[in-house]
Amino acid sequence: MDEGALVPILIPLGFFAMVFGIFYIRNRERMAMIERGMDPRAYKAQPAPYQNLKWGLLFIGAGLGLFLAYLLDYTVFAKTQEENEAIYFGLIAIFGGLGLVLSYRIEKKELYDTEHRK
């Protein structure tokens, strides 16, 4: 069987399963809250004040990792004829992780400063 014929079938099926799963889990969560005597409408999503900082630093780190991998691939490893995909994935992960660690450190410092100013 041709693998290309499975793609138009599996992608919508996977999308439907994902959407169905999200609604199913949300409904189960609400039912559990009702069983415990809680009002599901009273619990709203908590705002995440540093969410934009976290995503921004993650993407900046991933972009820096991709750029550095590109530079290394076409300068240091230019003499080799083999493909260097691993360096791209590795550096994107490393610099993306460093961006998240930096975000954590900034959040921690801000929370510490606001607690001790009172």
Side-chain angles (χ1 to χ4, degrees):
M1 181 177 213
D2 185 27
E3 288 85 20
L6 291 177
V7 172
I9 296 169
L10 291 178
I11 289 179
L13 189 64
F15 180 74
F16 172 76
M18 181 184 67
V19 171
F20 177 77
I22 289 171
F23 283 109
Y24 179 75
I25 295 296
R26 188 181 305 158
N27 186 33
R28 295 263 317 207
E29 180 183 26
R30 288 181 181 159
M31 293 303 287
M33 290 175 78
I34 291 170
E35 287 176 1
R36 292 188 178 109
M38 302 164 72
D39 184 16
R41 292 175 294 195
Y43 295 95
K44 301 290 183 205
Q46 298 293 329
Y50 295 103
Q51 194 72 26
N52 291 334
L53 174 69
K54 185 179 295 182
W55 282 103
L57 288 175
L58 174 67
F59 286 132
I60 288 171
L64 284 173
L66 183 63
F67 180 67
L68 183 62
Y70 174 79
L71 288 178
L72 287 174
D73 193 20
Y74 285 99
T75 57
V76 176
F77 301 114
K79 294 178 177 84
T80 62
Q81 297 298 326
E82 59 190 53
E83 298 291 326
N84 297 315
E85 296 94 8
I87 195 167
Y88 286 92
F89 289 110
L91 287 177
I92 288 172
I94 289 169
F95 280 92
L98 287 174
L100 289 175
V101 168
L102 181 63
S103 168
Y104 172 76
R105 300 284 295 193
I106 291 171
E107 288 178 32
K108 187 176 176 183
K109 181 181 180 300
E110 288 291 324
L111 292 174
Y112 179 80
D113 288 346
T114 56
E115 287 177 1
H116 285 81
R117 269 190 249 160
K118 293 180 181 178

